[in-house]
Amino acid sequence: MKPTVHDIARLAGVSLATVDRVLNGRPGVRGVTREKVERAIGSLGYVRDLAAANLAKGRTYRFTFILPCNDNSFMIGLKREVEAAMERSSVERTRIDIATVPAFDADALVRKLEHFLIEGPDGVAFVAIDEPRVRSAAERLVEAGIAVVTLVSDLSASSRQHYAGIDNIAAGRTAANLMGRFLSKVDGRVGVLAGSMMVRDHRERLEGFLSVLSEDFPQVAILPVMEARDDAAVTEALVREALRRHVGLNGIYSLGAGNRGLIRALREVPPGKRPVVIAHELTASTRQALLDGTIDAVLNQDAGHEVRSAIRVLKAKADGLPVLAAQERIRIDIFLKDNLP
Amino acid sequence: MKPTVHDIARLAGVSLATVDRVLNGRPGVRGVTREKVERAIGSLGYVRDLAAANLAKGRTYRFTFILPCNDNSFMIGLKREVEAAMERSSVERTRIDIATVPAFDADALVRKLEHFLIEGPDGVAFVAIDEPRVRSAAERLVEAGIAVVTLVSDLSASSRQHYAGIDNIAAGRTAANLMGRFLSKVDGRVGVLAGSMMVRDHRERLEGFLSVLSEDFPQVAILPVMEARDDAAVTEALVREALRRHVGLNGIYSLGAGNRGLIRALREVPPGKRPVVIAHELTASTRQALLDGTIDAVLNQDAGHEVRSAIRVLKAKADGLPVLAAQERIRIDIFLKDNLP
DNA sequence: CTGAAAGCGCTTACAG
DNA sequence: CTGAAAGCGCTTACAG
């Protein structure tokens, strides 16, 4: 039988209340008493039953997700996953709230973070904007004992406790590897389509992509990056223009959102003449484009996994428990038309 | 406040014991009484607190993993993941045991399954051999109220409750897609290396591989399948022989284990002349081969995910709870040298 | 600084 | 067929 608080109390010759004080590091216990109890705990190999403790405390975990009110499919899907988690949460003594902020607005994000510093949930997960004042707001939350997890886009490591998202440099490198190999003409020209170089995930994907292309496929020429602000109409115009001007455009890497515009522009090109296309995020439109051959490969991050992982990590942090790194690593999915889920 | 058994008892005008009987479908309650209680449960929107119930029952879940005593890296890794889960399990009111059986031995597997039919754990996870007597043994376990999950290699759907493993047909299709695209010579010749056509996962990978190659890359010739029984020495000999005889061998798909032998044979070929190689399972040796360019892509199933998923599903089944399909889907990882974890 | 008692939400003998 | 009481492992006022 696993030892319980009763066993500790008996062995140490104290009451349950005192055992509890020591176990939870609460004040008001003499040094000698504390030591007696700690010795008993050690010799019994006691591990506390968290479920019983939470039952007694009537504890419910409160976590908040701060999401940008962006209308692209990925962010919509992310929000839906958080909502699905909210529905399941009541069963698990967890309460999840969603707060939204304008996209790409660091000030608004900082204000929200400061708001939750006051409100004091057990943990906060948010899509980061990697700026100093955001970092410092995150640090203040951590100092206040609130668990902080970045979601999808990271802050520099020091200022949060965990990042639930993919390694975007590796994603860009992977895209380059596939692009280099898929290009039948070894001396191809490749265009890169980005949302904004202001966001860290886009910057990192570009960085990874460029470094592998130049290392392993030096014969491939890279055109100037097109910044389309994740907007479908802008994307469409840019791609159409690029296809027109660069007759030998053999490849396109779309590292941001706004793929609907990309796909529309590509559909105007005769099938035999289409470039190799690698894009990010599996959505209804990229899935369809994979199936009909408009897009060759899609790199994806699973929003559901990211959300569930963020919650598991927030809970572990709230309990002071270690996280299982291998379980919480968010993987880069590579989808071809043959392994679609 | 969430309603509790006390609320039900008060509203229905009965005792806690009676509420409990109804809640757990135990006999010995008059129809009228039962209905009163059920009406109260419904109108209150009661959902039971599983943690509290398990605490009161002193319940601990008992799950058994039946693993083949195979010495390939993948199976060794799988076992290690189960052992890691065993160590964590005491905290979670779960007890996990490992039983081993000789590899590829259906009789031994059936005997083990029958053994656990008697012993009666809450759930059993096992690496299946897809034969009728195995299926019927699995069915008897399910009928006895024991949760049954297949791991890594499946049984036909009817006879188990869940499969924790990848879609092997999709894996083979994905390998073919990559192979077809990576082959620079469109009229290449491709060799296939399998463990044994007796196991379902190998058969399915081959099936998927062949169908995509013939659909999408009809110009690629496929040599007769080499069965190497997942043995490194046999594999090495077969590959060396194939490379010697088929001077124009441009690609190899290794769909089983025994990749160490494959890699040894490949290393004898001058780098510029090596075929495109796609293999399964990320191990120390395939990882190294990816990095030095001996292997071009590795399809992988994450043994840790499979084990954790199997446990979550066994627990859900034991509690009569639904499983989150999206969470439990085991994905096919595609590793290139640029996205290694 | 320390302890006795009640309680979290559920289940389980036991008595009737 | 039904209920009162004790208990699972822990925590929390409250009293001293």
Side-chain angles (χ1 to χ4, degrees), chain A residues 74-120:
Chain A
F74 177 75
M75 282 301 168
I76 292 171
L78 187 70
K79 189 166 180 197
R80 196 169 302 141
E81 291 293 348
V82 179
E83 286 163 351
M86 289 169 72
E87 281 176 21
R88 292 188 302 263
S89 67
S90 64
V91 193
E92 299 154 11
R93 308 190 148 270
T94 306
R95 169 151 170 218
I96 295 170
D97 291 301
I98 296 182
T100 54
V101 288
F104 302 115
D105 183 340
D107 285 319
L109 180 55
V110 168
R111 277 196 302 275
K112 250 329 170 215
L113 291 170
E114 281 166 349
H115 169 77
F116 288 113
L117 183 57
I118 313 243
E119 194 174 294

Short mmCIF file of all heavy atoms in Angstrom, two decimals, chain A residues 74-120:
data_model
loop_
_atom_site.label_atom_id
_atom_site.label_comp_id
_atom_site.label_asym_id
_atom_site.label_seq_id
_atom_site.Cartn_x
_atom_site.Cartn_y
_atom_site.Cartn_z
N PHE A 74 -5.97 29.17 -40.33
CA PHE A 74 -5.21 28.56 -39.24
C PHE A 74 -5.64 29.10 -37.89
O PHE A 74 -5.90 28.35 -36.94
CB PHE A 74 -3.71 28.75 -39.44
CG PHE A 74 -2.92 28.19 -38.31
CD1 PHE A 74 -2.75 26.82 -38.19
CD2 PHE A 74 -2.40 29.01 -37.32
CE1 PHE A 74 -2.06 26.27 -37.12
CE2 PHE A 74 -1.71 28.47 -36.25
CZ PHE A 74 -1.54 27.11 -36.15
N MET A 75 -5.73 30.43 -37.79
CA MET A 75 -6.11 31.03 -36.50
C MET A 75 -7.55 30.67 -36.12
O MET A 75 -7.85 30.48 -34.95
CB MET A 75 -5.95 32.55 -36.56
CG MET A 75 -4.50 33.00 -36.44
SD MET A 75 -3.72 32.46 -34.87
CE MET A 75 -2.00 32.83 -35.21
N ILE A 76 -8.40 30.59 -37.13
CA ILE A 76 -9.77 30.17 -36.84
C ILE A 76 -9.78 28.75 -36.29
O ILE A 76 -10.46 28.44 -35.31
CB ILE A 76 -10.63 30.28 -38.12
CG1 ILE A 76 -10.79 31.76 -38.49
CG2 ILE A 76 -11.99 29.61 -37.92
CD1 ILE A 76 -11.43 31.99 -39.85
N GLY A 77 -8.98 27.89 -36.92
CA GLY A 77 -8.89 26.51 -36.46
C GLY A 77 -8.31 26.42 -35.05
O GLY A 77 -8.76 25.63 -34.22
N LEU A 78 -7.33 27.27 -34.78
CA LEU A 78 -6.71 27.28 -33.45
C LEU A 78 -7.75 27.64 -32.39
O LEU A 78 -7.87 27.00 -31.35
CB LEU A 78 -5.56 28.29 -33.43
CG LEU A 78 -4.69 28.33 -32.19
CD1 LEU A 78 -3.83 27.08 -32.09
CD2 LEU A 78 -3.80 29.57 -32.18
N LYS A 79 -8.52 28.66 -32.70
CA LYS A 79 -9.55 29.09 -31.76
C LYS A 79 -10.57 27.97 -31.53
O LYS A 79 -10.99 27.72 -30.40
CB LYS A 79 -10.26 30.33 -32.31
CG LYS A 79 -11.20 30.95 -31.30
CD LYS A 79 -11.64 32.33 -31.71
CE LYS A 79 -12.57 32.93 -30.67
NZ LYS A 79 -13.32 34.07 -31.22
N ARG A 80 -10.91 27.29 -32.61
CA ARG A 80 -11.88 26.20 -32.49
C ARG A 80 -11.33 25.11 -31.56
O ARG A 80 -12.07 24.51 -30.78
CB ARG A 80 -12.18 25.65 -33.88
CG ARG A 80 -13.42 24.80 -33.92
CD ARG A 80 -13.82 24.50 -35.36
NE ARG A 80 -14.05 25.72 -36.12
CZ ARG A 80 -13.69 25.90 -37.40
NH1 ARG A 80 -13.08 24.93 -38.05
NH2 ARG A 80 -13.94 27.03 -38.00
N GLU A 81 -10.04 24.86 -31.67
CA GLU A 81 -9.45 23.83 -30.81
C GLU A 81 -9.48 24.25 -29.34
O GLU A 81 -9.69 23.43 -28.46
CB GLU A 81 -8.01 23.54 -31.24
CG GLU A 81 -7.88 22.85 -32.58
CD GLU A 81 -8.43 21.42 -32.58
OE1 GLU A 81 -8.70 20.87 -31.50
OE2 GLU A 81 -8.57 20.86 -33.68
N VAL A 82 -9.26 25.53 -29.10
CA VAL A 82 -9.33 26.00 -27.72
C VAL A 82 -10.77 25.85 -27.21
O VAL A 82 -11.01 25.42 -26.09
CB VAL A 82 -8.86 27.46 -27.58
CG1 VAL A 82 -8.98 27.92 -26.14
CG2 VAL A 82 -7.43 27.61 -28.05
N GLU A 83 -11.71 26.17 -28.07
CA GLU A 83 -13.12 26.03 -27.68
C GLU A 83 -13.47 24.58 -27.38
O GLU A 83 -14.20 24.28 -26.42
CB GLU A 83 -14.02 26.61 -28.77
CG GLU A 83 -13.99 28.13 -28.79
CD GLU A 83 -14.52 28.73 -30.09
OE1 GLU A 83 -14.76 27.96 -31.05
OE2 GLU A 83 -14.67 29.96 -30.14
N ALA A 84 -12.95 23.68 -28.20
CA ALA A 84 -13.20 22.26 -27.95
C ALA A 84 -12.61 21.86 -26.59
O ALA A 84 -13.22 21.10 -25.83
CB ALA A 84 -12.58 21.41 -29.06
N ALA A 85 -11.46 22.39 -26.28
CA ALA A 85 -10.84 22.10 -24.99
C ALA A 85 -11.67 22.68 -23.85
O ALA A 85 -11.79 22.08 -22.79
CB ALA A 85 -9.41 22.64 -24.94
N MET A 86 -12.25 23.85 -24.08
CA MET A 86 -13.11 24.46 -23.05
C MET A 86 -14.27 23.54 -22.70
O MET A 86 -14.62 23.39 -21.55
CB MET A 86 -13.68 25.79 -23.56
CG MET A 86 -12.66 26.90 -23.67
SD MET A 86 -13.30 28.34 -24.58
CE MET A 86 -14.46 29.01 -23.38
N GLU A 87 -14.83 22.93 -23.73
CA GLU A 87 -15.98 22.06 -23.48
C GLU A 87 -15.61 20.84 -22.65
O GLU A 87 -16.38 20.37 -21.83
CB GLU A 87 -16.60 21.64 -24.80
CG GLU A 87 -17.46 22.73 -25.38
CD GLU A 87 -18.02 22.36 -26.73
OE1 GLU A 87 -18.08 21.15 -27.05
OE2 GLU A 87 -18.38 23.28 -27.48
N ARG A 88 -14.44 20.31 -22.93
CA ARG A 88 -14.01 19.14 -22.17
C ARG A 88 -13.54 19.52 -20.77
O ARG A 88 -13.43 18.67 -19.89
CB ARG A 88 -12.82 18.46 -22.87
CG ARG A 88 -13.14 17.80 -24.18
CD ARG A 88 -11.93 17.02 -24.66
NE ARG A 88 -10.76 17.88 -24.79
CZ ARG A 88 -10.36 18.42 -25.93
NH1 ARG A 88 -11.02 18.20 -27.04
NH2 ARG A 88 -9.29 19.18 -25.96
N SER A 89 -13.24 20.81 -20.57
CA SER A 89 -12.48 21.18 -19.39
C SER A 89 -13.25 21.02 -18.09
O SER A 89 -12.64 20.74 -17.06
CB SER A 89 -12.00 22.62 -19.52
OG SER A 89 -13.10 23.50 -19.48
N SER A 90 -14.56 21.19 -18.13
CA SER A 90 -15.29 21.15 -16.86
C SER A 90 -15.10 19.81 -16.17
O SER A 90 -15.02 19.73 -14.95
CB SER A 90 -16.77 21.40 -17.12
OG SER A 90 -17.30 20.35 -17.90
N VAL A 91 -15.00 18.74 -16.96
CA VAL A 91 -14.81 17.41 -16.39
C VAL A 91 -13.47 17.31 -15.67
O VAL A 91 -13.32 16.54 -14.73
CB VAL A 91 -14.86 16.35 -17.51
CG1 VAL A 91 -14.98 14.96 -16.92
CG2 VAL A 91 -16.00 16.63 -18.47
N GLU A 92 -12.52 18.12 -16.13
CA GLU A 92 -11.17 17.96 -15.60
C GLU A 92 -10.79 19.05 -14.59
O GLU A 92 -9.61 19.39 -14.48
CB GLU A 92 -10.17 17.95 -16.76
CG GLU A 92 -10.40 16.80 -17.74
CD GLU A 92 -9.89 17.15 -19.13
OE1 GLU A 92 -9.19 18.17 -19.27
OE2 GLU A 92 -10.19 16.40 -20.07
N ARG A 93 -11.77 19.61 -13.91
CA ARG A 93 -11.47 20.65 -12.92
C ARG A 93 -10.62 21.75 -13.52
O ARG A 93 -9.63 22.19 -12.93
CB ARG A 93 -10.72 20.07 -11.71
CG ARG A 93 -11.39 18.90 -11.07
CD ARG A 93 -10.75 18.52 -9.76
NE ARG A 93 -11.77 17.98 -8.87
CZ ARG A 93 -12.48 18.71 -8.03
NH1 ARG A 93 -12.27 20.00 -7.93
NH2 ARG A 93 -13.40 18.15 -7.28
N THR A 94 -10.95 22.14 -14.72
CA THR A 94 -10.18 23.16 -15.40
C THR A 94 -11.14 24.14 -16.01
O THR A 94 -12.15 23.75 -16.58
CB THR A 94 -9.32 22.53 -16.52
OG1 THR A 94 -8.54 21.50 -15.96
CG2 THR A 94 -8.42 23.56 -17.17
N ARG A 95 -10.82 25.41 -15.92
CA ARG A 95 -11.65 26.38 -16.59
C ARG A 95 -10.78 27.18 -17.54
O ARG A 95 -9.76 27.73 -17.14
CB ARG A 95 -12.31 27.29 -15.56
CG ARG A 95 -12.93 28.44 -16.25
CD ARG A 95 -14.11 29.03 -15.58
NE ARG A 95 -14.34 30.26 -16.33
CZ ARG A 95 -14.73 31.40 -15.80
NH1 ARG A 95 -14.99 31.46 -14.52
NH2 ARG A 95 -14.88 32.46 -16.55
N ILE A 96 -11.18 27.20 -18.79
CA ILE A 96 -10.38 27.87 -19.81
C ILE A 96 -11.15 29.06 -20.35
O ILE A 96 -12.36 28.97 -20.62
CB ILE A 96 -10.05 26.88 -20.95
CG1 ILE A 96 -9.15 25.77 -20.41
CG2 ILE A 96 -9.36 27.60 -22.11
CD1 ILE A 96 -8.95 24.63 -21.36
N ASP A 97 -10.47 30.18 -20.47
CA ASP A 97 -11.09 31.36 -21.08
C ASP A 97 -10.30 31.78 -22.31
O ASP A 97 -9.09 31.55 -22.38
CB ASP A 97 -11.12 32.52 -20.08
CG ASP A 97 -12.07 32.24 -18.93
OD1 ASP A 97 -13.27 32.03 -19.20
OD2 ASP A 97 -11.61 32.20 -17.78
N ILE A 98 -10.98 32.42 -23.22
CA ILE A 98 -10.31 32.95 -24.40
C ILE A 98 -10.40 34.47 -24.36
O ILE A 98 -11.47 35.02 -24.09
CB ILE A 98 -10.99 32.46 -25.70
CG1 ILE A 98 -10.85 30.94 -25.83
CG2 ILE A 98 -10.37 33.14 -26.91
CD1 ILE A 98 -11.44 30.38 -27.10
N ALA A 99 -9.28 35.12 -24.60
CA ALA A 99 -9.29 36.56 -24.77
C ALA A 99 -8.73 36.84 -26.15
O ALA A 99 -7.83 36.12 -26.61
CB ALA A 99 -8.42 37.23 -23.71
N THR A 100 -9.24 37.84 -26.82
CA THR A 100 -8.70 38.13 -28.15
C THR A 100 -8.06 39.51 -28.16
O THR A 100 -8.45 40.40 -27.41
CB THR A 100 -9.81 38.09 -29.23
OG1 THR A 100 -10.86 38.97 -28.84
CG2 THR A 100 -10.36 36.69 -29.39
N VAL A 101 -7.07 39.66 -29.03
CA VAL A 101 -6.40 40.95 -29.21
C VAL A 101 -6.25 41.17 -30.72
O VAL A 101 -6.22 40.22 -31.47
CB VAL A 101 -5.00 40.98 -28.56
CG1 VAL A 101 -5.10 41.01 -27.05
CG2 VAL A 101 -4.17 39.80 -29.01
N PRO A 102 -6.14 42.43 -31.13
CA PRO A 102 -5.89 42.69 -32.55
C PRO A 102 -4.59 42.00 -32.99
O PRO A 102 -3.64 41.94 -32.21
CB PRO A 102 -5.75 44.21 -32.62
CG PRO A 102 -6.39 44.73 -31.38
CD PRO A 102 -6.28 43.66 -30.35
N ALA A 103 -4.56 41.52 -34.22
CA ALA A 103 -3.37 40.83 -34.70
C ALA A 103 -2.19 41.79 -34.86
O ALA A 103 -2.39 42.99 -35.13
CB ALA A 103 -3.68 40.16 -36.04
N PHE A 104 -0.99 41.28 -34.69
CA PHE A 104 0.25 42.05 -34.91
C PHE A 104 0.30 43.34 -34.09
O PHE A 104 0.96 44.29 -34.49
CB PHE A 104 0.42 42.41 -36.39
CG PHE A 104 0.46 41.22 -37.30
CD1 PHE A 104 -0.54 41.00 -38.24
CD2 PHE A 104 1.51 40.30 -37.23
CE1 PHE A 104 -0.49 39.90 -39.09
CE2 PHE A 104 1.56 39.20 -38.08
CZ PHE A 104 0.55 39.00 -39.01
N ASP A 105 -0.41 43.41 -32.97
CA ASP A 105 -0.44 44.66 -32.19
C ASP A 105 0.20 44.41 -30.82
O ASP A 105 -0.44 43.94 -29.88
CB ASP A 105 -1.90 45.11 -32.05
CG ASP A 105 -2.02 46.44 -31.31
OD1 ASP A 105 -1.08 46.82 -30.58
OD2 ASP A 105 -3.08 47.08 -31.47
N ALA A 106 1.47 44.75 -30.74
CA ALA A 106 2.22 44.44 -29.52
C ALA A 106 1.67 45.18 -28.31
O ALA A 106 1.59 44.62 -27.21
CB ALA A 106 3.70 44.79 -29.72
N ASP A 107 1.24 46.42 -28.50
CA ASP A 107 0.71 47.19 -27.37
C ASP A 107 -0.53 46.52 -26.79
O ASP A 107 -0.67 46.38 -25.57
CB ASP A 107 0.34 48.60 -27.82
CG ASP A 107 1.59 49.44 -28.02
OD1 ASP A 107 2.50 49.32 -27.17
OD2 ASP A 107 1.66 50.17 -29.02
N ALA A 108 -1.42 46.14 -27.68
CA ALA A 108 -2.64 45.50 -27.22
C ALA A 108 -2.32 44.21 -26.48
O ALA A 108 -2.92 43.90 -25.43
CB ALA A 108 -3.56 45.21 -28.41
N LEU A 109 -1.36 43.47 -27.01
CA LEU A 109 -0.98 42.21 -26.35
C LEU A 109 -0.42 42.47 -24.96
O LEU A 109 -0.79 41.80 -23.99
CB LEU A 109 0.04 41.48 -27.22
CG LEU A 109 0.56 40.14 -26.69
CD1 LEU A 109 -0.60 39.19 -26.38
CD2 LEU A 109 1.51 39.51 -27.69
N VAL A 110 0.43 43.49 -24.85
CA VAL A 110 1.01 43.82 -23.55
C VAL A 110 -0.10 44.20 -22.57
O VAL A 110 -0.10 43.77 -21.41
CB VAL A 110 2.03 44.97 -23.69
CG1 VAL A 110 2.40 45.52 -22.31
CG2 VAL A 110 3.28 44.48 -24.41
N ARG A 111 -1.04 44.99 -23.04
CA ARG A 111 -2.14 45.38 -22.14
C ARG A 111 -2.91 44.16 -21.65
O ARG A 111 -3.26 44.06 -20.47
CB ARG A 111 -3.08 46.37 -22.86
CG ARG A 111 -2.59 47.80 -22.81
CD ARG A 111 -3.71 48.78 -23.18
NE ARG A 111 -4.26 48.52 -24.50
CZ ARG A 111 -3.76 48.97 -25.64
NH1 ARG A 111 -2.67 49.74 -25.62
NH2 ARG A 111 -4.31 48.68 -26.79
N LYS A 112 -3.15 43.22 -22.55
CA LYS A 112 -3.87 42.01 -22.14
C LYS A 112 -3.06 41.23 -21.10
O LYS A 112 -3.60 40.76 -20.10
CB LYS A 112 -4.07 41.11 -23.35
CG LYS A 112 -5.47 40.90 -23.93
CD LYS A 112 -6.62 40.94 -23.04
CE LYS A 112 -7.88 40.97 -23.92
NZ LYS A 112 -8.93 41.77 -23.34
N LEU A 113 -1.79 41.09 -21.36
CA LEU A 113 -0.95 40.35 -20.42
C LEU A 113 -0.98 41.02 -19.05
O LEU A 113 -1.07 40.36 -18.02
CB LEU A 113 0.49 40.25 -20.95
CG LEU A 113 0.67 39.36 -22.18
CD1 LEU A 113 2.06 39.53 -22.79
CD2 LEU A 113 0.44 37.89 -21.84
N GLU A 114 -0.94 42.36 -19.06
CA GLU A 114 -0.97 43.09 -17.79
C GLU A 114 -2.31 42.91 -17.09
O GLU A 114 -2.39 42.83 -15.86
CB GLU A 114 -0.67 44.58 -18.02
CG GLU A 114 0.84 44.81 -18.19
CD GLU A 114 1.17 46.17 -18.76
OE1 GLU A 114 0.24 46.88 -19.22
OE2 GLU A 114 2.37 46.52 -18.77
N HIS A 115 -3.34 42.85 -17.89
CA HIS A 115 -4.68 42.61 -17.32
C HIS A 115 -4.69 41.28 -16.56
O HIS A 115 -5.22 41.19 -15.45
CB HIS A 115 -5.70 42.59 -18.46
CG HIS A 115 -7.05 42.09 -18.04
ND1 HIS A 115 -7.93 42.87 -17.33
CD2 HIS A 115 -7.64 40.89 -18.22
CE1 HIS A 115 -9.03 42.16 -17.10
NE2 HIS A 115 -8.88 40.96 -17.63
N PHE A 116 -4.08 40.26 -17.15
CA PHE A 116 -4.12 38.95 -16.50
C PHE A 116 -3.13 38.85 -15.34
O PHE A 116 -3.26 37.99 -14.48
CB PHE A 116 -3.93 37.83 -17.52
CG PHE A 116 -5.14 37.66 -18.39
CD1 PHE A 116 -5.09 37.96 -19.74
CD2 PHE A 116 -6.34 37.26 -17.83
CE1 PHE A 116 -6.22 37.85 -20.53
CE2 PHE A 116 -7.48 37.14 -18.61
CZ PHE A 116 -7.42 37.44 -19.96
N LEU A 117 -2.17 39.77 -15.32
CA LEU A 117 -1.30 39.84 -14.16
C LEU A 117 -2.13 40.21 -12.94
O LEU A 117 -1.92 39.72 -11.83
CB LEU A 117 -0.23 40.92 -14.42
CG LEU A 117 0.84 41.13 -13.36
CD1 LEU A 117 1.59 39.83 -13.09
CD2 LEU A 117 1.81 42.21 -13.82
N ILE A 118 -3.12 41.07 -13.14
CA ILE A 118 -4.03 41.47 -12.06
C ILE A 118 -5.04 40.37 -11.78
O ILE A 118 -5.27 39.98 -10.64
CB ILE A 118 -4.80 42.75 -12.46
CG1 ILE A 118 -3.84 43.78 -13.02
CG2 ILE A 118 -5.65 43.26 -11.27
CD1 ILE A 118 -3.70 45.04 -12.30
N GLU A 119 -5.65 39.87 -12.84
CA GLU A 119 -6.72 38.89 -12.64
C GLU A 119 -6.18 37.59 -12.05
O GLU A 119 -6.89 36.89 -11.32
CB GLU A 119 -7.43 38.64 -13.96
CG GLU A 119 -8.74 37.91 -13.76
CD GLU A 119 -9.50 37.77 -15.06
OE1 GLU A 119 -9.94 38.80 -15.60
OE2 GLU A 119 -9.62 36.64 -15.53
N GLY A 120 -4.95 37.25 -12.42
CA GLY A 120 -4.29 36.12 -11.77
C GLY A 120 -4.84 34.73 -12.00
O GLY A 120 -5.18 34.03 -11.04
#
